Amino acid sequence: MIIVMREGATQEQIDAVIERLTKAGVEVHTSVGRYRTVLGVVGDEELVAGLPLEAMPGVEKVMPVLKPYKLVSREFQHESTVIDVRGSTIGPPVFAVIAGPCSVETEEQMIETARFVKQAGATFLRGGAFKPRTSPYSFQGLGEEGLRYLKRASEETGLPVVTEVMEIRQIEVVSEYADVLQIGARNMQNFNLLLEVGKQEKPVLLKRGFSNTIEELLTAAEYIARGGNRKIVLCERGIRTFETATRNTLDISAIPIIKQLSHLPVIVDPSHAAGRADLVAPLSLAALAVGADGVIVEVHPRPAEALCDGPQSLDFPHFEAMMTEIRELAPVVGRVLARKE
Ligand code: PEP
Ligand code: MN
């Protein structure tokens, strides 16, 4: 249930409704918009079904929510969420560019990459230290050592760091070093992990599972929001289809659909979607054109030597060329690129 307060409702009126609801035994989440406050009721709605809320002063309307998510919905919060991470922004009108290697390999690789992507216009640094690999014989990531290299590269360039946390036990150590906690596609429905990152202060980048629907992605985000963490970035990274020309199929329509349904920022990962470096720039431009709030792309100083995902990684000249194209298209679609230094 969502309770929309009138424009100009007083704090006392809002508090009175919250008190009434909490006394009845439900949890209330508040969204303070530019014009009005919206209250989201979470819990057993039966407990409040009989309350004459519409008659309370300051209440405009009471709406049932038939979708399985509420706090991440546009009904609950009309204005788009904008997340600021140490000076880098994700959310309109900014188009965020998160760049870096698939995996952290060495300190030199991270510093070299961070310096390059930053001067080319990237606003965040990515790199996996804990890697979810299909084969147990593939490189599994450097773990905490990798996190240290990421942090060094971040200190060197000022770029905030996005890195994956694969399980609850890693949250503490990853939070020590990283600015944004990434939940990978394979963990999108690891509900216990979602609940735990929902209790954290750090923003969460939630990737869509490759066999999950848009509604399942939003419902997964709701698990995080329900814990109190509303700094969530959604990521379309390609889904499984019958098509074999690309590693996955980028679901480009997911972006405008999610933007309609949710106030959360949505970014695109063209690297994992395509699995081919030559498609990363065109898909990034497509993402920008359909309203995505950014891209996360794999960049490696020497893709041929990468320990993971070399074929889909951009080398430095190709990343720079893509940034030039993004910079040209961005103003045409009302977007700005931040942190160009
Ligand atoms: C990644 O971004 O490093 C990654 C493993 O992506 P995904 O979870 O989308 O496969
Ligand atoms: Mn990868």
Side-chain angles (χ1 to χ4, degrees):
M1 177 192 288
I2 282 176
I3 296 132
V4 183
M5 301 301 294
R6 272 185 217 291
E7 205 177 322
T10 65
Q11 194 55 49
E12 288 69 39
Q13 291 172 334
I14 297 168
D15 290 343
V17 178
I18 296 176
E19 201 186 325
R20 190 87 187 253
L21 290 165
T22 356
K23 270 202 182 133
V26 290
E27 228 178 88
V28 184
H29 291 252
T30 311
S31 159
V32 183
R34 201 173 313 150
Y35 301 110
R36 42 171 57 82
T37 293
V38 177
L39 306 175
V41 173
V42 170
D44 183 359
E45 294 200 2
E46 288 291 307
L47 295 170
V48 293
L51 296 181
L53 297 167
E54 234 142 11
M56 290 187 73
V59 173
E60 181 169 303
K61 59 182 171 192
V62 178
M63 305 186 314
V65 180
L66 302 173
K67 295 178 187 134
Y69 54 88
K70 327 175 191 217
L71 304 177
V72 303
S73 72
R74 276 262 179 222
E75 286 93 342
F76 178 60
Q77 183 185 310
H78 179 70
E79 289 95 6
S80 294
T81 288
V82 177
I83 300 168
D84 188 74
V85 190
R86 295 205 286 123
S88 286
T89 301
I90 308 189
V94 169
F95 187 75
V97 178
I98 306 170
C102 178
S103 308
V104 180
E105 297 166 2
T106 63
E107 184 168 339
E108 297 69 42
Q109 168 228 21
M110 281 320 302
I111 292 184
E112 188 183 355
T113 309
R115 283 199 184 124
F116 188 85
V117 299
K118 181 175 180 183
Q119 66 80 32
T123 46
F124 288 82
L125 180 65
R126 66 149 285 150
F130 295 102
K131 294 303 302 176
R133 302 304 304 276
T134 301
S135 165
Y137 305 113
S138 302
F139 175 59
Q140 304 286 308
L142 295 179
E144 188 168 355
E145 187 188 350
L147 295 174
R148 277 198 290 273
Y149 300 160
L150 271 171
K151 179 125 185 165
R152 282 273 303 107
S154 172
E155 283 165 356
E156 187 75 22
T157 55
L159 289 180
V161 162
V162 179
T163 197
E164 179 158 353
V165 46
M166 282 171 59
E167 53 156 319
I168 292 175
R169 284 178 301 173
Q170 290 165 0
I171 294 177
E172 203 180 318
V173 67
V174 171
S175 304
E176 249 179 68
Y177 296 94
D179 300 287
V180 178
L181 310 176
Q182 175 175 325
I183 302 290
R186 292 155 191 81
N187 263 323
M188 190 204 86
Q189 286 189 312
N190 182 338
F191 300 116
N192 289 332
L193 181 60
L194 299 177
L195 287 172
E196 276 310 306
V197 295
K199 294 182 201 152
Q200 306 298 312
E201 284 293 317
K202 302 242 159 134
V204 177
L205 193 167
L206 178 64
K207 299 188 88 174
R208 178 180 180 185
F210 34 68
S211 299
N212 287 112
T213 62
I214 291 169
E215 184 167 286
E216 285 164 345
L217 171 63
L218 292 170
T219 313
E222 185 82 6
Y223 267 89
I224 302 172
R226 188 168 175 189
N229 190 350
R230 293 213 214 132
K231 288 173 276 177
I232 307 164
V233 180
L234 303 172
C235 179
E236 160 58 37
R237 48 78 73 213
I239 52 175
R240 282 216 163 149
T241 68
F242 56 82
E243 182 53 69
T244 55
T246 48
R247 182 176 175 181
N248 294 278
T249 299
L250 181 65
D251 183 5
I252 199 81
S253 30
I255 294 108
I257 292 172
I258 298 171
K259 295 292 292 181
Q260 281 171 21
L261 297 173
S262 174
H263 55 83
L264 296 176
V266 185
I267 65 166
V268 165
D269 176 345
S271 310
H272 290 92
R276 298 167 39 168
D278 62 327
L279 297 185
V280 170
L283 294 182
S284 295
L285 294 173
L288 172 58
V290 294
D293 296 301
V295 281
I296 177 165
V297 293
E298 289 186 341
V299 179
H300 194 286
R302 289 160 292 279
E305 293 169 24
L307 295 181
C308 179
D309 287 348
Q312 68 194 34
S313 300
L314 294 179
D315 60 14
F316 291 174
H318 282 94
F319 179 68
E320 189 151 49
M322 181 182 87
M323 288 306 296
T324 305
E325 293 182 303
I326 288 180
R327 214 170 284 118
E328 280 168 16
L329 179 60
V332 179
V333 292
R335 291 283 178 164
V336 294
L337 281 163
R339 264 196 199 261
K340 168 74 183 127
E341 275 152 274

